[in-house]
Amino acid sequence: MSVALGTTRPLPVRTTHVGDPGDLLAALPRTAPYAWIRNGEGLVGWGEAARVAVPPGPGRFAWARQWLATVFGEAQVDDAVRTPGSGAVAFGSFTFDQDSHGSVLVVPRAVLARRGGHAWLTTIGEAPLERFTPVRDPGRISYGDGSLSAPEWEHIVARAAKRIREGELEKVVLARDLVATAERPIDVRLLLDRLARRYPECYTFSVAGLVGATPELLIRRTGQEIESLVLAGTTPRGTGPADDLARGAALFASTKDRHEHECAIASVRQTLAPLCSSLTTPDEPELLVLPNVQHLASHVTGRLADGASVLDVVAAMHPTAAVGGTPTSTAIQVIRELEGMDRSGYAGPVGWIDVHGDGEWGIALRSGLVQGRRARLFAGGGIMGDSDPAAELAEAQAKFRVMQYALEG
C-alpha cells in the first residue's frame, strides 16, 4: 500500500518478545523482503504497511523525516520491548545523487529482529499472511557491459586523474556497472543468505530491490551516541598468506591510499562536528580484511548535541568523501560529467530508522539492483592524481565479485 504525506491512517503497532528465531533470513517470504543483518543479528521485514517514493531534490531528507514523523506520530504503538529497532520501523534507500528518482521509505507489516540475546516481533494490524515458498536457484548467469565497457571506464579514470593533477579537485570516486542476466527469476532471499554467510562482518541489506553486503557503516544512532566506520583505500586479497600480508602492508604504506583515507576522515569530521558535543577520530587507520579485499578503516564515535535523529545525521553526512570525493561539490559535478550512468541507490544511504529516531544506515556498496531475471551490479573506487586506470579497473572487478558470488554461489 502506498501512502502519501498527509493521507496516512493510524498504524496499530505491536511489539512482543519472542524466542530465538534462529536464522532470521530463513523467516522471509518470497515477496519484497527487507533486511539489515550483521553477524546473524539485525532486522528482517516483509509486507508493506506504508510506502512512499521520496521526491528528489536538496530537501529530500527533510521531506522524508516529515513523512516519517506523520506516519510514526499517528501510530498506536504497544511496545513491550523498548529497544532500538522495536516498535514502528522504516527501511529506506536513498539514491546517491540528490537529483535522481528512486529514493524510497517502507514501513513493513512485520519485522523480526534479534540483538544481544533478545528477539522480538513487530506487527502492524493483523499478522500478515505471506506464502513461504522454497528458495530457488536462478540458474546460469551471463554478464554484459553496463553503461561503459572496461576500456571506456579506464579512459574516464585517466581523464579524472588528469583533472586532479591539474588542481581541479583532490579526489573523485568513479563507479561502473555490470549487467547480470539469469535463466530464472532471481530470488533475493538466496542472495541475502549467501552474502550473510560469506561476509558476516558486513551489513547485508535488502530494500526495494537494492541488495548487497556493505562493509561501510555510515552512521549508527543509539540514543545520543553515534558511531561511523570510514573506509577509503583498498587492495585485493593476496594469492596466499604471505602475499596477503605484503598487500596489506603496501596498502598501509601507500601515499595515495593514505591521502585518500585522510580526505574521507576529514570529510566526516567536518560534517559531524557541528552536530556533536563530543567527537573522536583515530590518529591512524586500521586494516579491515574481508574475503575479497582489504580496506583502510577508521572507527569514529561521538555524542549528539541536540537530539537529531539518525536520518538528520545521514542528511548531513551524505555524500561522504569516501563515495563522492573532495571537495564534494566539485567531485559530484565530475561524477555527473564522466560516469555516464545513474548510480541509482548505489553508494547512497541504506538502512533503517525506528520511531525514536534510532537506527543504522550504511553506504550501499557491493550491491546490485534486482528485478526479475536481471541484476545491475555496481562497483567503484577512489581516483587520485596518480591513479593507474588498469589498477582501478582491477579493484572494481574485485568488488564486483561480491555480488557475482551471491548470484552464482
Side-chain angles (χ1 to χ4, degrees):
M1 175 177 66
S2 296
V3 180
L5 187 65
T7 63
T8 58
R9 292 173 293 178
L11 301 177
V13 181
R14 185 167 184 260
T15 300
T16 58
H17 291 280
V18 296
D20 189 341
D23 183 1
L24 290 171
L25 294 172
L28 285 170
R30 183 168 186 173
T31 55
Y34 301 93
W36 181 265
I37 300 290
R38 181 175 183 266
N39 284 325
E41 296 195 339
L43 302 85
V44 297
W46 58 93
E48 292 182 2
R51 178 187 180 113
V52 72
V54 179
R60 59 183 179 154
F61 290 105
W63 191 98
R65 182 173 183 182
Q66 185 182 359
W67 183 83
L68 284 170
T70 301
V71 173
F72 288 165
E74 295 177 356
Q76 301 167 343
V77 180
D78 177 10
D79 183 1
V81 178
R82 298 184 180 277
T83 193
S86 68
V89 172
F91 288 78
S93 166
F94 288 83
T95 57
F96 171 79
D97 194 318
Q98 67 178 17
D99 294 333
S100 294
H101 292 270
S103 300
V104 64
L105 287 169
V106 180
V107 181
R109 282 201 171 275
V111 174
L112 180 64
R114 177 176 55 215
R115 182 182 292 110
H118 300 282
W120 61 92
L121 175 68
T122 298
T123 56
I124 295 180
E126 295 184 7
L129 297 176
E130 296 281 351
R131 188 165 66 93
F132 287 79
T133 58
V135 176
R136 189 180 185 190
D137 190 279
R140 188 177 61 85
I141 308 294
S142 60
Y143 297 96
D145 285 336
S147 305
L148 297 175
S149 67
E152 288 172 333
W153 195 74
E154 286 183 296
H155 178 65
I156 69 165
V157 169
R159 289 174 60 191
K162 182 175 183 290
R163 292 169 71 163
I164 292 169
R165 291 194 299 271
E166 291 172 349
E168 184 177 345
L169 69 168
E170 284 188 70
K171 169 192 171 182
V172 63
V173 180
L174 293 179
R176 63 183 300 248
D177 58 348
L178 184 70
V179 176
T181 305
E183 286 185 272
R184 294 182 288 273
I186 299 169
D187 192 329
V188 167
R189 297 173 300 171
L190 179 64
L191 308 189
L192 292 173
D193 180 70
R194 287 173 173 171
L195 290 170
R197 291 178 187 277
R198 187 169 178 85
Y199 303 97
E201 293 295 324
C202 292
Y203 297 86
T204 297
F205 60 87
S206 172
V207 179
L210 184 66
V211 183
T214 179
E216 190 147 358
L217 177 68
L218 181 62
I219 197 72
R220 174 188 294 120
R221 176 192 185 268
T222 306
Q224 299 300 100
E225 304 299 323
I226 59 170
E227 179 183 353
S228 181
L229 177 63
V230 180
L231 305 181
T234 306
T235 188
R237 291 293 301 271
T239 56
D243 187 30
D244 224 20
L245 287 173
R247 286 174 181 264
L251 176 65
F252 207 81
S254 165
T255 301
K256 177 259 184 189
D257 289 291
R258 290 297 289 265
H259 181 56
E260 181 183 345
H261 194 82
E262 288 165 7
C263 287
I265 285 292
S267 169
V268 170
R269 188 186 299 114
Q270 182 180 9
T271 301
L272 288 181
L275 300 175
C276 294
S277 57
S278 64
L279 185 66
T280 302
T281 59
D283 295 328
E284 290 275 321
E286 59 188 52
L287 204 60
L288 176 65
V289 180
L290 299 173
N292 61 320
V293 293
Q294 303 181 63
H295 294 290
L296 294 179
S298 291
H299 290 269
V300 178
T301 59
R303 183 171 179 81
L304 292 173
D306 62 355
S309 82
V310 70
L311 203 57
D312 293 321
V313 185
V314 169
M317 293 184 71
H318 179 75
T320 67
V323 294
T326 307
T328 300
S329 58
T330 305
I332 296 302
Q333 189 55 45
V334 171
I335 289 169
R336 288 170 175 166
E337 186 180 332
L338 294 183
E339 258 185 14
M341 70 174 189
D342 185 343
R343 292 185 179 187
S344 190
Y346 170 73
V350 62
W352 61 271
I353 178 173
D354 69 14
V355 69
H356 302 294
D358 288 329
E360 294 176 304
W361 289 75
I363 299 174
L365 306 175
R366 319 296 193 271
S367 59
L369 272 174
V370 178
Q371 185 173 20
R373 295 191 304 116
R374 187 176 183 269
R376 185 177 172 220
L377 314 184
F378 301 92
I383 311 303
M384 308 296 287
D386 58 352
S387 288
D388 173 57
E392 297 297 341
L393 179 64
E395 179 181 320
Q397 289 172 329
K399 293 172 179 176
F400 274 136
R401 284 200 283 272
V402 174
M403 287 303 295
Q404 288 176 314
Y405 166 78
L407 288 165
E408 299 169 13

